[in-house]
Amino acid sequence: MAGHGARSRSGGRPTLEEVAARAGVGRGTVSRVINGSPRVSDATRAAVEAAVAELGYVPNTAARALAANRTDAIALVVPEPETRFFAEPYFSDMLRGVGAALSDTRMQLLLIFAGSDRERQRLAQYLAAHRVDGVLLVSVHADDPLPDMLGQLEIPAVISGPRSAAETLTSVDSDNYGGARQAVEHLIGRGRRTIAHITGRLDVYGAQRRTDGYRDALRDAGHEADELLIEAGDFTEEGGRRAMAALLERRPDLDAVFAASDVTAAGARHALREAGRRIPDDVALVGYDDSVIARHMDPPLTSVRQPIEEMGRRMIDLLLAEVADRRPSASRELDRRQVVLATELVERASS
């Protein structure tokens, strides 16, 4: 067995072909393993990695990227202000999942904020120069021009939740509708009858689906949704506080609240306490995300857990598969997928 750093048969630097021969696979398979493609079995990947280690093969990264018209870089694009990114655990959990999935590849991750028109224009120029191999889009609003721009540039892209039921890009999301139903059914099961809902931003499809789940769960239990019990929020703490205050003014008899995010629920909690309402004695409270906020609230928050880190990992797997697919964009569209991951209700003392 050759030691680490062994020379090739010709006495020079080990080649890709020699790695393939040592591993007993084709040259293309070795290339896919080195490029981090998910389209390789675990056994094959292990054989190739062992051959790389035995021969001491070191890829010529610059030459490989140039020949393949690749940059070995992925952009995580967040069309939100930086303040929201750092304030909400959803984004850090997503980033953690993406980073873990990329750790075994040679891809570099670029974090790009595009919350303003100026930032979007700068991003468009950057992407038009093809400085990244693919893009992950997180927190996409219905009217966001970025997805269509990526399609025009023929840059592989995966988004964290579809913009609508007719989404054309590959997406990964949690079951927003099912998660909301779980939350409301739980509250009904606890004997709550006047259940309010603070929505997320309703230009986000996931927030729309959570509201749909809320309405349908009430209807199926024989409780028609009262529109006076629904108040628009924006996924922020201050938005949750304002929405809760408005709901209490309109319907002081409410006995439960389903908030579209844990951050929103934290704001609602402040408003409830300011109004002298005890949680859960007077008003039960349920959030969404099962973030660190839920565990550290007083009382600890019942919340719908969506597998955010797993969503990040799945987004990377799908994006790398698209990057490795050299077919024309029109052919790749046939394989685009809408992945929906299951949610779970985590019961705590707030309900």
Side-chain angles (χ1 to χ4, degrees):
M1 182 178 289
H4 184 72
R7 290 286 182 180
S8 69
R9 295 189 200 90
S10 61
R13 182 175 175 173
T15 66
L16 198 69
E17 289 76 10
E18 288 169 335
V19 172
R22 175 63 64 92
V25 299
R27 186 180 187 279
T29 300
V30 174
S31 179
R32 282 192 291 276
V33 171
I34 290 171
N35 286 324
S37 170
R39 296 183 175 181
V40 181
S41 70
D42 291 342
T44 298
R45 188 183 306 280
V48 171
E49 290 174 347
V52 166
E54 290 166 9
L55 293 174
Y57 174 75
V58 179
N60 185 337
T61 305
R64 174 168 55 86
L66 183 63
N69 193 27
R70 294 269 296 274
T71 65
D72 284 347
I74 294 293
L76 175 63
V77 177
V78 183
E80 299 282 358
E82 291 182 43
T83 51
R84 186 180 170 208
F85 179 89
F86 290 108
E88 296 188 26
Y90 173 88
F91 294 107
S92 58
D93 289 346
M94 177 67 70
L95 185 59
R96 190 157 44 244
V98 168
L102 283 179
S103 63
D104 292 332
T105 76
R106 295 181 180 276
M107 290 286 188
Q108 297 295 315
L109 180 65
L110 306 177
L111 177 60
I112 301 175
F113 296 101
S116 67
D117 289 340
R118 182 179 180 183
E119 288 172 332
R120 279 191 289 272
Q121 291 170 3
R122 191 164 59 230
L123 173 64
Q125 295 171 350
Y126 185 82
L127 295 177
H130 290 275
R131 293 181 178 175
V132 296
D133 293 324
V135 171
L136 300 173
L137 265 176
V138 180
S139 186
V140 183
H141 302 170
D143 59 352
D144 198 315
L146 291 175
D148 292 335
M149 180 187 73
L150 293 170
Q152 292 167 3
L153 295 173
E154 295 199 349
I155 296 175
V158 177
I159 61 178
S160 66
R163 290 166 288 171
S164 71
E167 182 57 69
T168 55
L169 291 178
T170 294
S171 70
V172 177
D173 204 359
S174 72
D175 183 3
N176 292 290
Y177 176 84
R181 287 194 63 112
Q182 286 177 303
V184 177
E185 288 166 358
H186 164 75
L187 290 168
I188 293 170
R190 290 295 176 90
R192 308 293 171 152
R193 292 296 177 264
T194 310
I195 303 170
H197 176 44
I198 301 175
T199 75
R201 288 189 56 162
L202 291 177
D203 60 347
V204 174
Y205 185 60
Q208 296 171 26
R209 294 301 288 153
R210 291 175 198 178
T211 300
D212 291 342
Y214 161 82
R215 285 194 172 102
D216 288 353
L218 287 176
R219 184 199 64 219
D220 291 349
H223 306 285
E224 283 299 322
D226 182 346
E227 294 303 311
L228 293 178
L229 286 167
I230 301 175
E231 182 68 18
D234 57 6
F235 291 121
T236 69
E237 184 173 1
E238 178 57 24
R241 189 196 65 75
R242 286 196 307 265
M244 190 71 253
L247 285 166
L248 286 171
E249 185 173 344
R250 282 204 307 268
R251 290 297 304 266
D253 59 326
L254 64 84
D255 61 6
V257 179
F258 166 49
S261 75
D262 292 346
V263 176
T264 295
R269 169 184 166 274
H270 286 305
L272 286 167
R273 289 204 162 171
E274 287 173 358
R277 304 298 178 91
R278 297 167 300 166
I279 303 170
D281 305 69
D282 301 323
V283 179
L285 182 62
V286 176
Y288 200 106
D289 288 335
D290 190 38
S291 64
V292 64
I293 290 172
R295 296 187 290 276
H296 293 290
M297 275 179 59
D298 178 22
L301 180 69
T302 295
S303 184
V304 178
R305 175 182 294 163
Q306 56 173 340
I308 300 171
E309 288 190 40
E310 176 62 18
M311 287 165 60
R313 288 191 289 269
R314 293 290 291 276
M315 287 176 70
I316 283 294
D317 288 346
L318 291 167
L319 183 61
L320 291 180
E322 288 204 14
V323 168
D325 189 342
R326 309 308 296 176
R327 292 177 299 162
S329 177
S331 299
R332 293 199 309 271
E333 285 179 7
L334 299 175
D335 295 334
R336 285 176 177 160
R337 301 170 56 194
Q338 313 300 320
V339 175
V340 179
L341 303 180
T343 57
E344 174 190 359
L345 184 71
V346 180
E347 297 181 21
R348 297 191 179 91
S350 71
S351 62

